């Protein structure tokens, strides 16, 4: 691969944050090497936007090393899926061999040594692995993404009810777009952020009763929040949606963390580092309104 000191590596380039980071860097005239699992409409769209799209797997050390060759800094993100620690170790080694100037690592706000979530505990271990690598790293620990609500857009459209096992816990939802601005700024000017861990939050901390009110305001109709138990209702719904046992175990425990205040908080990182005012819930829902709108009623063909 050609060497270009102004090329940035982006993992998860067809995902929520990675795709936005890639496009944001491209819009700023930067070169992007985007790692994807396979060719599809999303990767083709990135290629058309100007990214150098590379097909590879973060669990393939040689593929990661080749993808990092000649890049200046890299964004590392891995899904809630087995293999995370191996992928992190491979990325750290490959980044060292490729002489990267910086790594931006996507962690999560619940990452800690004693987490009951296997995935959250692995994120904490992954942070420590990257800290020991010779490449400077910045860890990002976001609270729940605003995109979390789009997962329940169908039920909201059908019932006007948001049913989640989150009790009266609170958080300040943050959009993937806001996170992308933070990531892009750090990649382009990493030195001031080296060694830092940044919790990421949206602008206003709320419970889900207040969030439902904001969704109502955006949609122009009343949406009600109904707290439910994780087991069995929510777990059964996740199983029906083909969630893996690993991911369900993670969600079961972060829902408990949420009720215990682990996801709560606000700060000014998006504005200070990302140089952008973060989106509020109503504004985010408004941008995705078509997902939440009710389907129009069928027109009767019967004679009145």
């Amino acid at each position: 691969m050609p060497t270009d000191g102004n090329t940035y590596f982006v993992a998860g380039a067809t995902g929520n944050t990675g795709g936005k980071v890639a496009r944001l860097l491209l819009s700023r005239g930067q070169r992007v090497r985007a790692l994807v699992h396979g060719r599809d409409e999303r990767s083709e769209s990135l290629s058309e936007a100007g990214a150098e799209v590379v097909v590879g797997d973060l669990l393939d050390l040689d593929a990661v090393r080749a993808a990092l060759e000649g890049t200046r800094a890299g964004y590392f993100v891995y899904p809630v899926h087995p293999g995370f620690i191996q992928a992190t170790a491979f990325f750290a080694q490959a980044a060292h061999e490729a002489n990267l100037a910086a790594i931006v690592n996507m962690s999560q706000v619940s990452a800690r040594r004693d987490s009951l979530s296997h995935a959250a505990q692995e994120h904490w271990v992954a942070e420590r692995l990257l800290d020991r690598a010779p490449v400077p790293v910045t860890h990002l620990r976001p609270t729940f993404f605003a995109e979390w609500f789009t997962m329940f857009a169908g039920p909201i459209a059908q019932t006007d009810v948001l049913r989640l096992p989150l009790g009266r816990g609170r958080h300040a939802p943050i959009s993937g777009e806001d996170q992308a601005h933070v990531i892009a700024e750090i990649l382009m000017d990493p030195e001031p952020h080296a060694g830092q861990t940044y919790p990421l939050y949206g602008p206003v901390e709320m419970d889900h009763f207040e969030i439902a009110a904001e969704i109502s305001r955006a949609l122009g109709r009343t949406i009600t929040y109904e707290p439910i138990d994780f087991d069995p209702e929510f777990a059964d719904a996740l199983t029906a949606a083909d969630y893996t046992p690993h991911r369900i175990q993670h969600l079961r425990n972060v829902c408990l963390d949420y009720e215990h205040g682990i996801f709560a908080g606000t700060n000014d990182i998006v504005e200070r580092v990302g140089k952008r005012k973060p989106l509020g819930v109503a504004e985010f829902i408004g941008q995705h309104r078509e997902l939440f709108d009710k389907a129009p009623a069928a027109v009767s063909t019967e004679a009145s």
Side-chain angles (χ1 to χ4, degrees):
M1 295 181 182
T3 298
D4 187 328
N6 295 319
T7 298
Y8 297 91
F9 171 88
V10 178
T14 56
N16 183 31
T17 56
K20 293 179 176 65
V21 170
R23 292 181 183 278
L24 187 56
L25 289 169
L26 290 167
S27 74
R28 296 178 177 181
Q30 306 302 314
R31 296 178 184 271
V32 171
R33 185 170 297 148
L35 185 71
V36 301
H37 279 287
R39 296 281 181 176
D40 58 18
E41 291 182 359
R42 298 170 300 171
S43 63
E44 289 306 315
S45 177
L46 270 179
S47 182
E48 291 170 3
E52 178 189 354
V53 175
V54 177
V55 177
D57 193 322
L58 288 169
L59 295 175
D60 183 335
L61 176 58
D62 290 337
V64 176
R65 173 65 181 85
L68 288 174
E69 179 64 30
T71 61
R72 177 170 181 254
Y75 172 51
F76 176 71
V77 61
Y78 195 82
V80 177
H81 193 275
F84 179 44
I85 297 300
Q86 180 182 351
T88 303
F90 282 0
F91 188 83
Q93 180 62 31
H96 171 47
E97 293 176 6
N99 295 313
L100 258 65
I103 295 170
V104 179
N105 171 49
M106 176 57 72
S107 186
Q108 55 183 254
V109 77
S110 58
R112 60 197 192 281
R113 193 185 192 284
D114 61 353
S115 175
L116 297 179
S117 158
H118 300 325
Q121 186 181 62
E122 287 177 353
H123 271 86
W124 183 87
V125 173
E127 290 180 1
R128 306 291 75 77
L129 282 173
L130 291 169
D131 285 342
R132 293 185 180 97
V135 181
V137 61
T138 305
H139 303 297
L140 304 181
R141 290 183 170 182
T143 189
F144 276 141
F145 289 21
E147 282 78 1
W148 165 260
F149 302 123
T150 66
M151 297 170 56
F152 310 102
I156 289 173
Q158 295 168 11
T159 67
D160 287 341
V161 178
L162 176 62
R163 307 180 79 244
L164 291 171
L166 297 172
R168 295 301 300 254
R170 302 174 65 83
H171 78 298
I174 181 168
S175 73
E177 187 72 32
D178 289 332
Q179 294 177 69
H181 277 262
V182 173
I183 295 162
E185 290 291 342
I186 297 173
L187 287 173
M188 293 176 65
D189 184 20
E191 188 173 350
H193 312 287
Q196 298 297 312
T197 297
Y198 292 140
L200 295 181
Y201 305 103
V204 181
E205 181 188 286
M206 294 176 281
D207 65 24
H208 275 74
F209 293 99
E210 294 167 315
I211 287 170
E214 286 296 290
I215 297 175
S216 301
R217 185 162 69 87
L219 298 180
R221 66 181 197 271
T222 300
I223 307 300
T224 303
Y225 169 54
E226 183 179 323
I228 61 174
D229 292 331
F230 194 97
D231 293 298
E233 182 176 350
F234 198 66
D236 288 348
L238 295 175
T239 300
D242 292 328
Y243 277 53
T244 65
H246 179 75
R247 195 172 182 189
I248 293 173
Q249 194 275 346
H250 168 66
L251 289 173
R252 176 179 286 107
N253 286 289
V254 297
C255 284
L256 290 174
D257 281 349
Y258 185 92
E259 293 193 66
H260 294 154
I262 299 297
F263 285 76
T266 58
N267 61 25
D268 65 349
I269 296 296
V270 173
E271 289 189 88
R272 180 162 54 85
V273 178
K275 302 176 182 177
R276 162 189 173 91
K277 183 178 179 180
L279 293 174
V281 170
E283 188 176 2
F284 175 84
I285 297 296
Q287 291 182 357
H288 301 273
R289 179 171 183 146
E290 72 282 357
L291 299 175
F292 297 86
D293 280 341
K294 292 181 178 292
V299 177
S300 176
T301 57
E302 296 180 3
S304 58

